[in-house]
Amino acid sequence: AQKVTQAQTEISVVEKEDVTLDCVYETRDTTYYLFWYKQPPSGELVFLIRRNSFDEQNEISGRYSWNFQKSTSSFNFTITASQVVDSAVYFCALLSYNTDKLIFGTGTRLQVFP
Amino acid sequence: DVKVTQSSRYLVKRTGEKVFLECVQDMDHENMFWYRQDPGLGLRLIYFSYDVKMKEKGDIPEGYSVSREKKERFSLILESASTNQTSMYLCASSLATGAEAFFGQGTRLTVV
């Protein structure tokens, strides 16, 4: 069975703080993909990153970075020097190559205060 | 840019009505998905389709059906709407397995 767990329901930080959003996944498949999406107050989900199960390299994109560790089935997302515009709900998602089924976690609401 | 368009932003329907939610994508994507989003529950997969006339159940298919007669269009059908189907419905499409999914703006359905 596939499952994505985002244990942090809500996180509040002050601007310029660093914040890490946790994502733990479960799958029996050896080939799978992991994603992060952002849902700003406007409501439309925005794709942030994709990782396949064979690529454990961490990635950095500006203030965003992602840490993929197969040993702990985790795909965590860090925002460095957070800004008010980062306030949103962030979703982690898992897609199994064998089933084409894309499932999401329950999301983490991030509030960044000035 | 990929565009996923959902036919309505807001809908109000009565209990027992048959409801159609339409989704169209303009980038020749193979895969299409329907989710519902509820507070505290995240996005839950209702149905998905990886080809025309093909459909697969997601995690919560009960009370719903889907139709994909053309590649670009994926319809979600509530055969007999109930109040517990009041929710935000999100449609998505992706080019192929493993590709990122693109989402529509959502349809907020209220069943009264």
Side-chain angles (χ1 to χ4, degrees):
Chain A
Q2 292 176 243
K3 188 178 178 183
V4 177
T5 301
Q6 294 181 256
Q8 303 151 308
T9 305
E10 193 161 336
I11 301 175
S12 295
V13 298
V14 177
E15 236 181 348
K16 298 185 184 174
E17 279 188 50
D18 298 346
V19 58
T20 295
L21 309 181
D22 297 333
C23 173
V24 174
Y25 63 92
E26 292 176 34
T27 180
R28 294 184 193 144
D29 294 321
T30 55
T31 304
Y32 53 89
Y33 300 84
L34 295 163
F35 303 83
W36 275 96
Y37 284 83
K38 175 182 180 180
Q39 187 178 41
S42 60
E44 198 158 326
L45 272 89
V46 176
F47 164 76
L48 295 178
I49 190 171
R50 176 188 64 184
R51 263 286 175 267
N52 73 54
S53 52
F54 300 108
D55 182 3
E56 281 193 79
Q57 271 199 329
N58 292 329
E59 181 152 337
I60 298 175
S61 176
R63 296 184 296 108
Y64 295 171
S65 62
W66 291 269
N67 183 306
F68 176 27
Q69 291 197 340
K70 283 176 81 168
S71 60
T72 56
S73 297
S74 65
F75 186 42
N76 296 337
F77 174 29
T78 298
I79 301 175
T80 303
S82 58
Q83 299 176 3
V84 172
V85 293
D86 295 326
S87 296
V89 181
Y90 290 87
F91 291 96
C92 181
L94 166 69
L95 184 142
S96 165
Y97 184 80
N98 288 330
T99 66
D100 275 333
K101 195 174 172 183
L102 176 64
I103 64 162
F104 284 76
T106 52
T108 298
R109 179 178 298 278
L110 173 65
Q111 293 195 72
V112 181
F113 294 99
Chain B
D1 278 354
V2 174
K3 194 148 178 74
V4 179
T5 303
Q6 295 182 230
S7 52
S8 304
R9 195 71 195 263
Y10 300 95
L11 270 182
V12 179
K13 296 291 182 181
R14 295 199 179 278
T15 302
E17 274 193 75
K18 190 169 186 175
V19 181
F20 292 86
L21 301 183
E22 306 286 348
C23 176
V24 177
Q25 49 94 2
D26 66 358
M27 283 301 290
D28 205 34
H29 282 181
E30 299 291 332
N31 301 329
M32 296 189 74
F33 307 84
W34 274 107
Y35 296 88
R36 63 177 282 176
Q37 183 176 10
D38 301 289
L41 298 177
L43 276 71
R44 292 181 292 166
L45 182 62
I46 305 171
Y47 269 97
F48 64 103
S49 168
Y50 53 86
D51 202 352
V52 175
K53 296 192 187 294
M54 305 302 289
K55 60 185 180 184
E56 293 284 345
K57 291 180 180 179
D59 295 325
I60 53 163
E62 298 77 20
Y64 303 94
S65 61
V66 290
S67 172
R68 194 167 180 200
E69 296 295 318
K70 293 184 177 181
K71 193 173 187 180
E72 67 270 18
R73 187 179 296 270
F74 192 36
S75 303
L76 179 69
I77 304 156
L78 287 65
E79 296 290 341
S80 177
S82 64
T83 55
N84 63 12
Q85 292 178 310
T86 291
S87 187
M88 171 67 85
Y89 289 87
L90 294 168
C91 175
S93 71
S94 67
L95 179 62
T97 300
E100 64 267 32
F102 294 84
F103 282 81
Q105 77 278 29
T107 296
R108 185 166 291 283
L109 173 67
T110 302
V111 182
V112 297

Short mmCIF file of all heavy atoms in Angstrom, two decimals, chain B residues 11-60:
data_model
loop_
_atom_site.label_atom_id
_atom_site.label_comp_id
_atom_site.label_asym_id
_atom_site.label_seq_id
_atom_site.Cartn_x
_atom_site.Cartn_y
_atom_site.Cartn_z
N LEU B 11 -20.37 25.49 -7.38
CA LEU B 11 -21.61 24.82 -7.75
C LEU B 11 -22.42 24.58 -6.49
O LEU B 11 -21.86 24.19 -5.46
CB LEU B 11 -21.32 23.46 -8.38
CG LEU B 11 -21.14 23.34 -9.90
CD1 LEU B 11 -20.92 21.87 -10.25
CD2 LEU B 11 -22.34 23.89 -10.64
N VAL B 12 -23.72 24.77 -6.60
CA VAL B 12 -24.62 24.40 -5.50
C VAL B 12 -25.67 23.46 -6.09
O VAL B 12 -26.33 23.80 -7.07
CB VAL B 12 -25.30 25.62 -4.87
CG1 VAL B 12 -26.23 25.17 -3.75
CG2 VAL B 12 -24.27 26.62 -4.34
N LYS B 13 -25.78 22.27 -5.51
CA LYS B 13 -26.72 21.27 -5.99
C LYS B 13 -27.55 20.75 -4.84
O LYS B 13 -27.17 20.86 -3.67
CB LYS B 13 -25.96 20.11 -6.65
CG LYS B 13 -25.18 20.52 -7.88
CD LYS B 13 -26.11 20.88 -9.01
CE LYS B 13 -25.33 21.26 -10.27
NZ LYS B 13 -26.23 21.64 -11.39
N ARG B 14 -28.67 20.16 -5.20
CA ARG B 14 -29.56 19.60 -4.18
C ARG B 14 -29.28 18.11 -3.98
O ARG B 14 -28.84 17.41 -4.92
CB ARG B 14 -31.01 19.78 -4.59
CG ARG B 14 -31.45 21.23 -4.65
CD ARG B 14 -32.96 21.36 -4.61
NE ARG B 14 -33.36 22.75 -4.66
CZ ARG B 14 -33.38 23.54 -3.58
NH1 ARG B 14 -33.03 23.08 -2.41
NH2 ARG B 14 -33.76 24.79 -3.71
N THR B 15 -29.54 17.65 -2.80
CA THR B 15 -29.40 16.23 -2.48
C THR B 15 -30.19 15.40 -3.48
O THR B 15 -31.34 15.72 -3.79
CB THR B 15 -29.91 15.94 -1.06
OG1 THR B 15 -29.17 16.75 -0.14
CG2 THR B 15 -29.73 14.49 -0.70
N GLY B 16 -29.56 14.36 -3.98
CA GLY B 16 -30.22 13.46 -4.92
C GLY B 16 -30.01 13.82 -6.39
O GLY B 16 -30.29 12.99 -7.27
N GLU B 17 -29.52 15.00 -6.67
CA GLU B 17 -29.28 15.40 -8.05
C GLU B 17 -28.09 14.64 -8.63
O GLU B 17 -27.18 14.24 -7.91
CB GLU B 17 -28.95 16.90 -8.13
CG GLU B 17 -30.14 17.81 -8.21
CD GLU B 17 -29.72 19.23 -8.60
OE1 GLU B 17 -29.41 19.45 -9.78
OE2 GLU B 17 -29.71 20.10 -7.72
N LYS B 18 -28.10 14.49 -9.94
CA LYS B 18 -26.93 13.95 -10.63
C LYS B 18 -26.06 15.13 -11.02
O LYS B 18 -26.54 16.10 -11.61
CB LYS B 18 -27.36 13.17 -11.87
CG LYS B 18 -26.25 12.38 -12.53
CD LYS B 18 -26.81 11.42 -13.58
CE LYS B 18 -25.72 10.52 -14.14
NZ LYS B 18 -26.26 9.50 -15.07
N VAL B 19 -24.79 15.05 -10.66
CA VAL B 19 -23.89 16.18 -10.85
C VAL B 19 -22.73 15.78 -11.75
O VAL B 19 -22.14 14.71 -11.57
CB VAL B 19 -23.35 16.67 -9.49
CG1 VAL B 19 -22.42 17.88 -9.70
CG2 VAL B 19 -24.48 17.03 -8.54
N PHE B 20 -22.43 16.65 -12.69
CA PHE B 20 -21.29 16.42 -13.59
C PHE B 20 -20.25 17.51 -13.34
O PHE B 20 -20.55 18.70 -13.43
CB PHE B 20 -21.74 16.48 -15.06
CG PHE B 20 -22.64 15.37 -15.47
CD1 PHE B 20 -24.01 15.45 -15.27
CD2 PHE B 20 -22.12 14.23 -16.07
CE1 PHE B 20 -24.85 14.42 -15.64
CE2 PHE B 20 -22.95 13.19 -16.46
CZ PHE B 20 -24.32 13.29 -16.25
N LEU B 21 -19.04 17.09 -13.08
CA LEU B 21 -17.92 18.02 -13.01
C LEU B 21 -17.00 17.73 -14.19
O LEU B 21 -16.57 16.59 -14.38
CB LEU B 21 -17.15 17.86 -11.69
CG LEU B 21 -17.95 18.06 -10.40
CD1 LEU B 21 -17.03 17.95 -9.19
CD2 LEU B 21 -18.69 19.37 -10.39
N GLU B 22 -16.74 18.78 -14.96
CA GLU B 22 -15.98 18.58 -16.20
C GLU B 22 -14.56 19.13 -16.05
O GLU B 22 -14.34 20.17 -15.41
CB GLU B 22 -16.67 19.27 -17.36
CG GLU B 22 -18.12 18.90 -17.56
CD GLU B 22 -18.27 17.52 -18.16
OE1 GLU B 22 -17.28 16.93 -18.62
OE2 GLU B 22 -19.40 16.99 -18.13
N CYS B 23 -13.63 18.45 -16.69
CA CYS B 23 -12.24 18.87 -16.68
C CYS B 23 -11.65 18.67 -18.07
O CYS B 23 -11.80 17.59 -18.66
CB CYS B 23 -11.46 18.05 -15.65
SG CYS B 23 -9.69 18.39 -15.60
N VAL B 24 -10.99 19.70 -18.55
CA VAL B 24 -10.37 19.63 -19.88
C VAL B 24 -8.92 20.08 -19.78
O VAL B 24 -8.62 21.09 -19.13
CB VAL B 24 -11.13 20.54 -20.88
CG1 VAL B 24 -10.43 20.52 -22.24
CG2 VAL B 24 -12.57 20.10 -21.02
N GLN B 25 -8.04 19.33 -20.43
CA GLN B 25 -6.64 19.74 -20.50
C GLN B 25 -6.25 19.88 -21.96
O GLN B 25 -6.74 19.16 -22.82
CB GLN B 25 -5.72 18.75 -19.75
CG GLN B 25 -5.93 17.28 -20.09
CD GLN B 25 -5.04 16.74 -21.18
OE1 GLN B 25 -4.18 17.45 -21.71
NE2 GLN B 25 -5.23 15.47 -21.51
N ASP B 26 -5.32 20.80 -22.19
CA ASP B 26 -5.00 21.15 -23.57
C ASP B 26 -3.61 20.73 -24.02
O ASP B 26 -3.09 21.25 -25.01
CB ASP B 26 -5.19 22.66 -23.78
CG ASP B 26 -4.19 23.48 -22.96
OD1 ASP B 26 -3.37 22.89 -22.22
OD2 ASP B 26 -4.23 24.72 -23.04
N MET B 27 -2.98 19.80 -23.28
CA MET B 27 -1.60 19.45 -23.63
C MET B 27 -1.43 17.98 -23.97
O MET B 27 -0.33 17.44 -23.84
CB MET B 27 -0.68 19.82 -22.47
CG MET B 27 -0.40 21.31 -22.41
SD MET B 27 0.38 21.94 -23.91
CE MET B 27 2.00 21.20 -23.79
N ASP B 28 -2.47 17.31 -24.39
CA ASP B 28 -2.34 15.94 -24.86
C ASP B 28 -1.78 15.00 -23.78
O ASP B 28 -1.04 14.06 -24.07
CB ASP B 28 -1.45 15.89 -26.11
CG ASP B 28 -1.75 14.67 -26.97
OD1 ASP B 28 -2.93 14.25 -27.03
OD2 ASP B 28 -0.80 14.11 -27.58
N HIS B 29 -2.12 15.27 -22.53
CA HIS B 29 -1.62 14.44 -21.44
C HIS B 29 -2.33 13.09 -21.39
O HIS B 29 -3.53 12.98 -21.67
CB HIS B 29 -1.83 15.17 -20.11
CG HIS B 29 -0.82 16.23 -19.86
ND1 HIS B 29 -0.82 17.01 -18.72
CD2 HIS B 29 0.24 16.64 -20.59
CE1 HIS B 29 0.19 17.84 -18.76
NE2 HIS B 29 0.85 17.65 -19.89
N GLU B 30 -1.54 12.07 -21.03
CA GLU B 30 -2.09 10.72 -20.94
C GLU B 30 -2.95 10.52 -19.69
O GLU B 30 -3.99 9.90 -19.72
CB GLU B 30 -0.94 9.70 -20.90
CG GLU B 30 -0.04 9.70 -22.11
CD GLU B 30 -0.74 9.17 -23.36
OE1 GLU B 30 -1.67 8.35 -23.21
OE2 GLU B 30 -0.37 9.59 -24.47
N ASN B 31 -2.43 11.01 -18.58
CA ASN B 31 -3.05 10.71 -17.28
C ASN B 31 -3.90 11.87 -16.79
O ASN B 31 -3.52 13.03 -16.93
CB ASN B 31 -1.96 10.43 -16.24
CG ASN B 31 -1.08 9.26 -16.61
OD1 ASN B 31 -1.52 8.33 -17.27
ND2 ASN B 31 0.18 9.32 -16.21
N MET B 32 -5.03 11.52 -16.22
CA MET B 32 -5.88 12.53 -15.59
C MET B 32 -6.38 11.99 -14.26
O MET B 32 -6.56 10.78 -14.09
CB MET B 32 -7.03 12.94 -16.51
CG MET B 32 -6.54 13.61 -17.79
SD MET B 32 -7.83 14.34 -18.80
CE MET B 32 -8.25 15.82 -17.86
N PHE B 33 -6.62 12.92 -13.33
CA PHE B 33 -6.95 12.56 -11.95
C PHE B 33 -8.09 13.43 -11.42
O PHE B 33 -8.18 14.61 -11.78
CB PHE B 33 -5.74 12.79 -11.02
CG PHE B 33 -4.46 12.13 -11.46
CD1 PHE B 33 -3.62 12.74 -12.38
CD2 PHE B 33 -4.08 10.91 -10.94
CE1 PHE B 33 -2.44 12.15 -12.77
CE2 PHE B 33 -2.89 10.30 -11.32
CZ PHE B 33 -2.07 10.92 -12.24
N TRP B 34 -8.88 12.85 -10.55
CA TRP B 34 -9.85 13.62 -9.77
C TRP B 34 -9.58 13.41 -8.28
O TRP B 34 -9.46 12.27 -7.82
CB TRP B 34 -11.29 13.21 -10.06
CG TRP B 34 -11.91 13.91 -11.23
CD1 TRP B 34 -12.17 13.40 -12.46
CD2 TRP B 34 -12.35 15.28 -11.26
NE1 TRP B 34 -12.75 14.36 -13.27
CE2 TRP B 34 -12.87 15.51 -12.56
CE3 TRP B 34 -12.36 16.32 -10.33
CZ2 TRP B 34 -13.40 16.74 -12.95
CZ3 TRP B 34 -12.88 17.54 -10.72
CH2 TRP B 34 -13.39 17.74 -12.01
N TYR B 35 -9.50 14.53 -7.56
CA TYR B 35 -9.31 14.52 -6.11
C TYR B 35 -10.41 15.33 -5.45
O TYR B 35 -11.00 16.23 -6.06
CB TYR B 35 -7.98 15.17 -5.73
CG TYR B 35 -6.75 14.47 -6.23
CD1 TYR B 35 -6.22 14.76 -7.49
CD2 TYR B 35 -6.09 13.52 -5.45
CE1 TYR B 35 -5.09 14.12 -7.95
CE2 TYR B 35 -4.95 12.88 -5.91
CZ TYR B 35 -4.47 13.18 -7.16
OH TYR B 35 -3.34 12.55 -7.62
N ARG B 36 -10.63 15.03 -4.19
CA ARG B 36 -11.38 15.97 -3.36
C ARG B 36 -10.48 16.41 -2.21
O ARG B 36 -9.64 15.64 -1.73
CB ARG B 36 -12.70 15.39 -2.85
CG ARG B 36 -12.64 14.21 -1.94
CD ARG B 36 -14.03 13.78 -1.47
NE ARG B 36 -14.55 14.65 -0.41
CZ ARG B 36 -15.77 14.55 0.12
NH1 ARG B 36 -16.60 13.60 -0.32
NH2 ARG B 36 -16.16 15.36 1.08
N GLN B 37 -10.65 17.67 -1.84
CA GLN B 37 -9.83 18.24 -0.78
C GLN B 37 -10.72 18.70 0.35
O GLN B 37 -11.62 19.53 0.15
CB GLN B 37 -9.00 19.43 -1.31
CG GLN B 37 -8.07 20.01 -0.25
CD GLN B 37 -7.19 21.12 -0.78
OE1 GLN B 37 -7.36 21.60 -1.89
NE2 GLN B 37 -6.22 21.52 0.02
N ASP B 38 -10.46 18.18 1.53
CA ASP B 38 -11.21 18.53 2.73
C ASP B 38 -10.24 18.92 3.83
O ASP B 38 -9.16 18.34 3.92
CB ASP B 38 -12.07 17.34 3.17
CG ASP B 38 -13.05 16.90 2.09
OD1 ASP B 38 -14.01 17.65 1.86
OD2 ASP B 38 -12.84 15.84 1.49
N PRO B 39 -10.64 19.87 4.67
CA PRO B 39 -9.73 20.32 5.74
C PRO B 39 -9.24 19.16 6.60
O PRO B 39 -10.03 18.33 7.05
CB PRO B 39 -10.63 21.28 6.54
CG PRO B 39 -11.64 21.76 5.56
CD PRO B 39 -11.91 20.60 4.66
N GLY B 40 -7.94 19.13 6.80
CA GLY B 40 -7.36 18.10 7.65
C GLY B 40 -7.16 16.76 6.97
O GLY B 40 -6.50 15.87 7.53
N LEU B 41 -7.71 16.60 5.77
CA LEU B 41 -7.60 15.31 5.08
C LEU B 41 -6.73 15.38 3.83
O LEU B 41 -6.48 14.36 3.18
CB LEU B 41 -8.99 14.79 4.71
CG LEU B 41 -9.92 14.51 5.89
CD1 LEU B 41 -11.29 14.07 5.40
CD2 LEU B 41 -9.33 13.44 6.81
N GLY B 42 -6.30 16.56 3.47
CA GLY B 42 -5.47 16.70 2.28
C GLY B 42 -6.24 16.40 1.01
O GLY B 42 -7.46 16.58 0.94
N LEU B 43 -5.51 15.95 -0.01
CA LEU B 43 -6.13 15.57 -1.28
C LEU B 43 -6.30 14.06 -1.29
O LEU B 43 -5.34 13.31 -1.09
CB LEU B 43 -5.22 15.97 -2.45
CG LEU B 43 -5.31 17.39 -2.97
CD1 LEU B 43 -4.72 18.37 -1.99
CD2 LEU B 43 -4.62 17.49 -4.32
N ARG B 44 -7.51 13.65 -1.54
CA ARG B 44 -7.78 12.21 -1.61
C ARG B 44 -8.20 11.85 -3.04
O ARG B 44 -9.07 12.50 -3.61
CB ARG B 44 -8.86 11.83 -0.60
CG ARG B 44 -8.41 11.95 0.84
CD ARG B 44 -9.50 11.52 1.81
NE ARG B 44 -10.62 12.45 1.79
CZ ARG B 44 -11.81 12.18 2.32
NH1 ARG B 44 -12.04 11.02 2.90
NH2 ARG B 44 -12.76 13.09 2.29
N LEU B 45 -7.58 10.81 -3.55
CA LEU B 45 -7.78 10.41 -4.94
C LEU B 45 -9.10 9.66 -5.09
O LEU B 45 -9.33 8.66 -4.42
CB LEU B 45 -6.61 9.54 -5.39
CG LEU B 45 -6.61 9.06 -6.83
CD1 LEU B 45 -6.55 10.23 -7.81
CD2 LEU B 45 -5.43 8.12 -7.07
N ILE B 46 -9.93 10.14 -6.01
CA ILE B 46 -11.23 9.51 -6.25
C ILE B 46 -11.11 8.49 -7.39
O ILE B 46 -11.40 7.31 -7.23
CB ILE B 46 -12.29 10.57 -6.61
CG1 ILE B 46 -12.36 11.64 -5.52
CG2 ILE B 46 -13.66 9.92 -6.80
CD1 ILE B 46 -13.24 12.83 -5.89
N TYR B 47 -10.68 8.97 -8.54
CA TYR B 47 -10.47 8.13 -9.72
C TYR B 47 -9.33 8.71 -10.52
O TYR B 47 -9.04 9.91 -10.43
CB TYR B 47 -11.71 8.12 -10.63
CG TYR B 47 -12.71 7.03 -10.36
CD1 TYR B 47 -13.83 7.29 -9.57
CD2 TYR B 47 -12.57 5.77 -10.92
CE1 TYR B 47 -14.77 6.29 -9.32
CE2 TYR B 47 -13.51 4.77 -10.69
CZ TYR B 47 -14.60 5.04 -9.89
OH TYR B 47 -15.54 4.05 -9.65
N PHE B 48 -8.71 7.87 -11.32
CA PHE B 48 -7.76 8.38 -12.29
C PHE B 48 -7.87 7.57 -13.58
O PHE B 48 -8.48 6.49 -13.61
CB PHE B 48 -6.33 8.40 -11.74
CG PHE B 48 -5.74 7.05 -11.41
CD1 PHE B 48 -4.81 6.46 -12.26
CD2 PHE B 48 -6.08 6.39 -10.23
CE1 PHE B 48 -4.24 5.24 -11.94
CE2 PHE B 48 -5.52 5.17 -9.90
CZ PHE B 48 -4.59 4.59 -10.77
N SER B 49 -7.27 8.12 -14.62
CA SER B 49 -7.36 7.50 -15.94
C SER B 49 -6.01 7.65 -16.63
O SER B 49 -5.43 8.74 -16.63
CB SER B 49 -8.44 8.19 -16.77
OG SER B 49 -8.36 7.80 -18.12
N TYR B 50 -5.52 6.58 -17.22
CA TYR B 50 -4.23 6.64 -17.89
C TYR B 50 -4.37 6.55 -19.40
O TYR B 50 -3.39 6.51 -20.14
CB TYR B 50 -3.28 5.56 -17.37
CG TYR B 50 -3.85 4.17 -17.40
CD1 TYR B 50 -3.76 3.39 -18.54
CD2 TYR B 50 -4.49 3.64 -16.28
CE1 TYR B 50 -4.29 2.13 -18.58
CE2 TYR B 50 -5.03 2.37 -16.31
CZ TYR B 50 -4.93 1.61 -17.45
OH TYR B 50 -5.47 0.36 -17.48
N ASP B 51 -5.64 6.49 -19.87
CA ASP B 51 -5.86 6.45 -21.31
C ASP B 51 -7.35 6.66 -21.56
O ASP B 51 -8.17 6.51 -20.64
CB ASP B 51 -5.41 5.10 -21.89
CG ASP B 51 -5.12 5.16 -23.38
OD1 ASP B 51 -5.41 6.19 -24.03
OD2 ASP B 51 -4.60 4.17 -23.91
N VAL B 52 -7.68 6.93 -22.81
CA VAL B 52 -9.10 7.10 -23.15
C VAL B 52 -9.86 5.82 -22.82
O VAL B 52 -9.39 4.72 -23.05
CB VAL B 52 -9.23 7.42 -24.66
CG1 VAL B 52 -10.69 7.48 -25.07
CG2 VAL B 52 -8.54 8.72 -24.98
N LYS B 53 -11.02 6.00 -22.23
CA LYS B 53 -11.93 4.92 -21.83
C LYS B 53 -11.36 4.03 -20.72
O LYS B 53 -12.00 3.06 -20.33
CB LYS B 53 -12.34 4.06 -23.02
CG LYS B 53 -13.13 4.82 -24.07
CD LYS B 53 -13.75 3.88 -25.08
CE LYS B 53 -14.39 4.64 -26.24
NZ LYS B 53 -15.55 5.43 -25.80
N MET B 54 -10.18 4.35 -20.22
CA MET B 54 -9.62 3.58 -19.11
C MET B 54 -9.81 4.37 -17.82
O MET B 54 -9.66 5.59 -17.80
CB MET B 54 -8.13 3.32 -19.33
CG MET B 54 -7.80 2.65 -20.64
SD MET B 54 -8.63 1.07 -20.85
CE MET B 54 -7.76 0.06 -19.68
N LYS B 55 -10.13 3.65 -16.76
CA LYS B 55 -10.28 4.31 -15.47
C LYS B 55 -9.85 3.36 -14.36
O LYS B 55 -9.97 2.14 -14.50
CB LYS B 55 -11.72 4.76 -15.25
CG LYS B 55 -12.71 3.62 -15.26
CD LYS B 55 -14.13 4.13 -15.16
CE LYS B 55 -15.11 2.96 -15.18
NZ LYS B 55 -16.52 3.40 -15.18
N GLU B 56 -9.35 3.94 -13.30
CA GLU B 56 -8.94 3.16 -12.14
C GLU B 56 -9.48 3.83 -10.89
O GLU B 56 -9.48 5.06 -10.79
CB GLU B 56 -7.41 3.10 -12.04
CG GLU B 56 -6.74 2.33 -13.14
CD GLU B 56 -6.86 0.83 -12.98
OE1 GLU B 56 -7.22 0.39 -11.86
OE2 GLU B 56 -6.61 0.10 -13.96
N LYS B 57 -9.91 3.03 -9.95
CA LYS B 57 -10.39 3.58 -8.69
C LYS B 57 -9.22 4.11 -7.88
O LYS B 57 -8.15 3.52 -7.84
CB LYS B 57 -11.11 2.51 -7.89
CG LYS B 57 -12.43 2.08 -8.51
CD LYS B 57 -13.10 1.02 -7.67
CE LYS B 57 -14.42 0.59 -8.30
NZ LYS B 57 -15.08 -0.47 -7.52
N GLY B 58 -9.50 5.21 -7.22
CA GLY B 58 -8.54 5.74 -6.27
C GLY B 58 -8.86 5.22 -4.88
O GLY B 58 -9.34 4.10 -4.71
N ASP B 59 -8.65 6.05 -3.89
CA ASP B 59 -8.85 5.63 -2.52
C ASP B 59 -10.29 5.80 -2.01
O ASP B 59 -10.70 5.14 -1.08
CB ASP B 59 -7.90 6.40 -1.58
CG ASP B 59 -6.45 6.05 -1.87
OD1 ASP B 59 -6.17 4.88 -2.22
OD2 ASP B 59 -5.58 6.93 -1.76
N ILE B 60 -11.04 6.69 -2.66
CA ILE B 60 -12.42 6.95 -2.19
C ILE B 60 -13.39 7.02 -3.35
O ILE B 60 -14.05 8.04 -3.58
CB ILE B 60 -12.49 8.24 -1.35
CG1 ILE B 60 -11.87 9.43 -2.10
CG2 ILE B 60 -11.79 8.06 0.00
CD1 ILE B 60 -12.27 10.77 -1.53
#
